[in-house]
Amino acid sequence: MRGFYSRKIHSLLGVIPLGGFFLEHMLTNFSAVEGGPSGFNDSVLWLNSLPLVFFLELFGIWLPLLYHGVFGLYIAYQSKPNLNRYNLERNWRYTLQRVTGIITFIFVVWHVFETRFQVALGNVKHEELGGVMHDIVTQPLLLAFYTIGIISASFHFANGLWSFLISWGVTVGPRAQKVSSFLCLGLFVLVTFMFLISLVTFRDSEFQSAAAIAQTLKAMI
Amino acid sequence: MMAEIAAAPKNVKFIITRQDDQQSTPYVEEFSLPYRPGMNVISALMEIQRNPVNAMGDHTVPVCWDSNCLEEVCGACSMVINGKPRQACAALIDNLEQPVRIEPMKTFPVVRDLVIDRTRMFNALKKVKAWIPIDGTYDLGPGPRMPEKKRQWAYELSKCMTCGVCLEACPNVNEKTNFIGPAAISQVRLFNAHPTGEMNSDDRLEALMEDGGIDGCGNSQNCVRACPKGIPLTTSIAEINKQTTKHMFKRWLGV
């Protein structure tokens, strides 16, 4: 009984709220493409001006992320991949779901440490996050790490949505599961593209100047 | 002379993973058998039994295996042949790459050589009550009729022979989990679809909502590709996902 509910909650949290936040994050980042540093800052500040933002973050992101991440690692540990025996598309996705889950876990811990955690410590202000991202993605190694992290997270999200639909009994027949495969694959491509385009935008020198201004302001104070 | 060379028998090589008892370590033994038209893995094992000599020419203990019907309906002779779990009786040598590699299905406890213990599958059927209870002290009369359309797909599910191939193919059935496996889940769908069996559907769903139940499925969907009877196992799993989800909400809301 415990296993059934804990797995159901894991599956649900992956989509609501984490999937929702993932898409929201994608849009916030994309405002950097659309509106440059000021557009990005406006989006960040809008998000942080939401009422009860602490509780929204706690129950909408931190706790679900902790549960989904830790329980997900346990699920990955329990699997015994057999691609050598069954070199099939669905079996590849099963295995990649677990592999990308682990990569995403590491990536998210790293990313949160560099950004939100530094804000919480008071080392960085919300308005300076664009500059922080600029400093990160102008380093080739970190850019590669972020690219891998984004592709992993996007795949894990899109393919997770596909298996969520099965686990909750929405897509039952083989045809429904095939159509949802294509839709989720499309979503994976779209989300990956949106995140990567934002990532490249952060390399722009406009964000550097934003970072530099923030630095000088900090130095002056 | 020419005729003799032409008539020289072709040989087929077998590499068999053997194990003397449940505790001992497995080892590999090779056999070279004369080719006969139409031979399959079972007839090859019978030949080894008749003349237990390995490829080195040494006399050895005959290889043990399990089989019954010899027409792919009983499920007893499942083993891993050239890397794929399947029925040995339906594995024709003409269709196999040589040398033929034969191993037991190690997802199950190995009793000896190729003989495995599938008790967990029969326990799973007991756990999910894969039957229709009609026994009683008086005649209950005829049950409700089953629509023909439903009977047609339900018949496909009834072809399951508890052979264990789907469990062997599943990456989530292993020593780290207690996942019940696809076969029993499909049987729950079968008996819940039956107009009389439906009366006990809640019992079956609750059995699958217990530890080791349907939540163990990871959607690798190997089972449906591996099933020798072509049973739509993933459709069964998704349908039971739907039924257990509904049951969960019904129980919460007290409907």
Side-chain angles (χ1 to χ4, degrees):
Chain A
M1 196 69 72
R2 234 174 304 131
F4 182 80
Y5 286 109
S6 50
R7 189 70 189 257
K8 269 280 190 275
I9 291 169
H10 174 262
S11 169
L12 179 68
L13 290 180
V15 179
I16 306 165
L18 293 177
F21 172 67
F22 188 62
L23 292 178
E24 187 285 318
H25 196 323
M26 179 188 77
L27 292 177
T28 302
N29 287 8
F30 200 74
S31 65
V33 180
E34 234 176 42
S38 63
F40 180 67
N41 269 348
D42 289 348
S43 295
V44 172
L45 292 177
W46 171 79
L47 197 67
N48 283 285
S49 67
L50 289 174
L52 291 174
V53 69
F54 172 76
F55 293 99
L56 287 181
E57 267 189 297
L58 184 68
F59 294 109
I61 306 171
W62 303 126
L63 293 178
L65 200 58
L66 189 69
Y67 182 91
H68 188 86
V70 173
F71 192 69
L73 288 180
Y74 178 63
I75 292 173
Y77 157 77
Q78 280 190 315
S79 81
K80 202 178 169 186
N82 54 2
L83 282 172
N84 53 337
R85 202 182 258 186
Y86 291 99
N87 188 13
L88 302 170
E89 183 254 339
R90 298 273 161 94
N91 198 23
W92 265 99
R93 267 162 48 190
Y94 162 89
T95 311
L96 284 176
Q97 185 68 7
R98 278 139 189 84
V99 172
T100 56
I102 295 166
I103 297 174
T104 305
F105 186 92
I106 298 165
F107 171 64
V108 167
V109 169
W110 177 271
H111 177 57
V112 166
F113 175 77
E114 281 186 315
T115 53
R116 183 63 182 84
F117 191 65
Q118 296 305 322
V119 172
L121 288 181
N123 294 340
V124 174
K125 285 198 177 68
H126 280 121
E127 309 83 74
E128 296 166 349
L129 284 172
V132 169
M133 282 313 296
H134 176 80
D135 291 345
I136 291 169
V137 295
T138 41
Q139 300 170 52
L141 224 77
L142 282 178
L143 179 69
F145 177 60
Y146 264 70
T147 307
I148 294 168
I150 283 169
I151 295 171
S152 295
S154 303
F155 179 86
H156 192 80
F157 163 68
N159 191 56
L161 195 61
W162 175 79
S163 61
F164 168 87
L165 291 173
I166 298 173
S167 297
W168 287 77
V170 179
T171 49
V172 173
R175 198 182 132 81
Q177 291 177 6
K178 198 173 181 179
V179 171
S180 63
S181 288
F182 283 118
L183 290 177
C184 289
L185 185 74
L187 189 67
F188 164 55
V189 174
L190 180 78
V191 171
T192 306
F193 181 73
M194 292 271 283
F195 267 113
L196 286 182
I197 215 167
S198 314
L199 200 67
V200 172
T201 307
F202 282 123
R203 284 170 66 89
D204 216 283
S205 54
E206 311 180 275
F207 285 93
Q208 188 191 10
S209 49
I213 290 163
Q215 289 279 308
T216 40
L217 276 175
K218 223 172 170 180
M220 277 165 72
I221 297 160
Chain B
M1 279 298 282
M2 284 297 286
E4 265 181 52
I5 292 164
K10 268 200 297 179
N11 273 327
V12 185
K13 203 170 154 194
F14 292 85
I15 302 173
I16 302 177
T17 302
R18 307 193 56 177
Q19 188 170 328
D20 293 338
D21 58 55
Q22 293 192 21
Q23 274 74 44
S24 64
T25 41
Y27 60 96
V28 166
E29 193 163 30
E30 295 188 13
F31 293 88
S32 185
L33 306 176
Y35 173 82
R36 276 192 295 165
M39 75 190 289
N40 63 17
V41 170
I42 295 284
S43 72
L45 291 169
M46 284 172 162
E47 178 60 29
I48 294 171
Q49 194 178 40
R50 194 185 67 78
N51 179 29
V53 174
N54 65 21
M56 317 275 282
D58 297 330
H59 197 82
T60 184
V61 182
V63 179
C64 284
W65 80 95
D66 217 350
S67 67
N68 261 307
C69 73
L70 303 182
E71 53 179 357
E72 209 191 63
V73 292
C74 79
C77 68
S78 307
M79 50 188 80
V80 179
I81 299 165
N82 285 346
K84 289 269 161 67
R86 56 185 296 189
Q87 277 70 55
C89 65
L92 293 170
I93 300 301
D94 288 338
N95 300 335
L96 291 175
E97 194 183 299
Q98 290 176 23
V100 181
R101 290 162 199 277
I102 309 174
E103 299 160 73
M105 294 203 304
K106 292 198 190 83
T107 297
F108 300 89
V110 178
V111 178
R112 182 173 174 171
D113 292 339
L114 303 170
V115 181
I116 51 159
D117 181 2
R118 286 178 296 139
T119 303
R120 62 168 287 176
M121 293 196 75
F122 304 108
N123 285 341
L125 292 176
K126 286 183 210 162
K127 191 181 175 190
V128 301
K129 300 185 179 172
W131 58 78
I132 293 166
I134 51 164
D135 290 345
T137 50
Y138 62 96
D139 185 5
L140 294 169
R145 278 182 64 85
M146 192 175 200
E148 172 58 17
K149 221 175 167 182
K150 199 187 212 178
R151 185 201 64 75
Q152 281 181 6
W153 64 252
Y155 180 67
E156 296 304 316
L157 306 188
S158 75
K159 287 179 180 171
C160 178
M161 51 192 181
T162 328
C163 71
V165 165
C166 57
L167 273 77
E168 177 75 16
C170 178
N172 271 13
V173 175
N174 59 54
E175 61 284 353
K176 288 179 274 186
T177 73
N178 51 1
F179 178 39
I180 197 164
I185 298 173
S186 190
Q187 290 305 296
V188 169
R189 182 181 176 218
L190 171 65
F191 287 100
N192 279 7
H194 191 281
T196 306
E198 198 190 339
M199 297 170 187
N200 301 80
S201 64
D202 288 359
D203 293 346
R204 298 192 193 93
L205 295 178
E206 283 185 16
L208 284 182
M209 289 162 78
E210 277 169 19
D211 229 27
I214 192 164
D215 61 275
C217 173
N219 298 309
S220 78
Q221 304 207 337
N222 288 344
C223 55
V224 73
R225 301 286 289 269
C227 178
K229 304 317 273 182
I231 297 169
L233 290 165
T234 49
T235 309
S236 289
I237 292 171
E239 170 61 28
I240 296 304
N241 272 325
K242 178 189 252 174
Q243 290 184 21
T244 47
T245 303
K246 273 188 185 167
H247 185 71
M248 174 180 79
F249 283 117
K250 266 167 77 179
R251 221 167 39 180
W252 276 355
L253 302 170
V255 183

